[in-house]
Amino acid sequence: MQMLINVPDTLPKALIQQRIRELEERLKQEAQQSQKSASRWEKMVQRIESKAFDLEDHTDTFNRDRQEFRESFNFKDKPE
């Protein structure tokens, strides 16, 4: 994923690049940690949600159906 970050022109370029590297590293660590603790079903949901695809006019219907499925589906390894 790519993001656009707006920063003031008054900040030194070296400081901006350092902060971006720190942020990237922290995000990578958090992603690895969340992948380690996620079940295979949760990983599948995360993978599907992260894939970008275009459903044209059916996007809203698909998103509603997906949300309804997630709300009504119980993972066996989740405590109730």
Side-chain angles (χ1 to χ4, degrees):
M1 171 192 292
Q2 292 183 349
M3 296 183 70
L4 176 64
I5 301 173
N6 295 316
V7 294
D9 293 332
T10 57
L11 290 175
K13 188 173 184 176
L15 177 64
I16 295 169
Q17 290 174 339
Q18 176 187 354
R19 296 289 191 239
I20 290 172
R21 282 192 301 273
E22 291 170 359
L23 177 61
E24 286 176 339
E25 185 60 34
R26 190 169 23 161
L27 291 172
K28 286 178 187 177
Q29 289 173 352
E30 290 177 14
Q32 288 174 348
Q33 187 64 30
S34 69
Q35 287 294 322
K36 289 178 185 176
S37 63
S39 73
R40 70 178 189 198
W41 297 109
E42 289 170 318
K43 290 177 186 176
M44 181 180 70
V45 169
Q46 290 170 357
R47 188 174 62 246
I48 291 169
E49 287 180 339
S50 68
K51 300 283 184 187
F53 53 90
D54 186 16
L55 297 175
E56 297 176 0
D57 297 336
H58 303 287
T59 302
D60 292 336
T61 303
F62 175 77
N63 287 334
R64 277 194 309 274
D65 291 346
R66 182 176 61 180
Q67 184 63 34
E68 182 181 325
F69 175 79
R70 287 191 72 180
E71 290 172 355
S72 64
F73 187 83
N74 292 322
F75 291 106
K76 289 182 181 178
D77 60 346
K78 291 276 187 185
E80 292 185 32

